[in-house]
Amino acid sequence: MTASCDLVYQVEGNGYRFDIASSYAAAMRRLLHCAMENKKHGARVAANYAAFSGMDVKAHCDPTMTAIRYSVAIIPEQFAIAEHRLRRSPEESSFYRQIDIMTEFDPTFEILLHLHCVVIGQYTLRKATKELTKNVETGVKGTVRSLRSEAAVIEHLRDVRDRNGGIDFLSDGMTSQNLISTLPERALERFRAIAGGMGL
């Protein structure tokens, strides 16, 4: 997502705003920087980020934002990013939305997470494929329930893809009508393709 003079992003931890940035990517990087400074968890955050972002997946997606999400998850705080937009009048609120970066459904994150689990030996490839399929199925159905329509989930997937530099699942005939039935299968196909390219 490109920066805009009409947008500003506040980084939040446990409901407290502790930093501000001019773009979503900058806000995520600031969150990573703050997490690396954590006295108890900082070294592990840095190590996890290096390992996750170092996976050879750049031909398929940019792993940076998903690596940040994975890395800061070890810190027991609820992180989020609040998006604010330029007010047109003093009576308007600048708040536009809160992005729950630690819990939002992102199929690219699920794919990279399960690849990472194979790389570090936590999962076998077979177990990773089973867990990935289950998580994507659960995630897409839960997001449909939350957003109340398949069409809204399509918009959510487009937003997540654009913000995080994720895999494009929407340009290959996926529609709101076939979303629930096809997304888990597509995610598994991409997982297998990337895993094969990594020699897993």
Side-chain angles (χ1 to χ4, degrees):
M1 185 173 184
T2 58
S4 168
C5 61
D6 289 342
L7 299 175
V8 68
Y9 297 82
Q10 288 183 322
V11 186
E12 300 179 351
N14 285 346
Y16 294 95
R17 299 166 182 169
F18 63 86
D19 212 334
I20 195 166
S22 61
S23 72
Y24 174 80
M28 288 289 283
R29 290 189 177 94
R30 182 57 186 154
L31 173 58
L32 175 65
H33 178 73
C34 290
M36 286 180 174
E37 291 182 335
N38 183 282
K39 291 182 178 180
K40 184 176 181 180
H41 302 288
R44 188 177 168 199
V45 168
N48 284 355
Y49 176 76
F52 198 104
S53 62
M55 291 191 296
D56 185 16
V57 300
K58 288 186 172 61
H60 303 270
C61 62
D62 182 347
T64 304
M65 297 297 107
T66 49
I68 294 173
R69 172 178 172 175
Y70 171 78
S71 304
V72 303
I74 65 171
I75 297 179
E77 290 190 41
Q78 295 297 317
F79 293 112
I81 293 178
E83 183 178 300
H84 291 258
R85 299 195 171 188
L86 183 66
R87 292 187 297 179
R88 304 302 176 185
S89 71
E91 293 78 20
E92 291 181 357
S93 170
S94 66
F95 178 79
Y96 178 67
R97 62 172 172 166
Q98 178 170 294
I99 303 170
D100 295 316
I101 58 173
M102 308 307 297
T103 59
E104 68 176 357
F105 174 58
D106 180 356
T108 297
F109 175 76
E110 293 295 339
I111 289 172
L112 298 189
L113 173 63
H114 288 80
L115 284 169
H116 182 66
C117 288
V118 175
V119 169
I120 65 176
Q122 182 177 343
Y123 285 168
T124 64
L125 193 63
R126 182 176 181 180
K127 180 174 177 60
T129 58
K130 181 183 292 187
E131 291 296 316
L132 171 67
T133 302
K134 180 180 71 176
N135 285 5
V136 174
E137 286 177 348
T138 301
V140 69
K141 289 177 181 177
T143 307
V144 169
R145 285 194 299 271
S146 174
L147 298 180
R148 300 183 179 181
S149 78
E150 288 86 349
V153 177
I154 291 287
E155 289 305 310
H156 167 79
L157 292 175
R158 182 175 291 110
D159 173 53
V160 168
R161 177 199 66 193
D162 293 346
R163 275 192 286 111
N164 293 329
I167 296 168
D168 183 9
F169 292 99
L170 302 178
S171 62
D172 192 24
M174 185 172 293
T175 67
S176 58
Q177 286 72 38
N178 64 18
L179 172 68
I180 293 177
S181 61
T182 60
L183 184 57
E185 180 181 329
R186 298 273 178 84
L188 184 56
E189 289 172 356
R190 296 303 291 268
F191 172 85
R192 286 171 170 161
I194 299 172
M198 295 172 65
L200 298 177

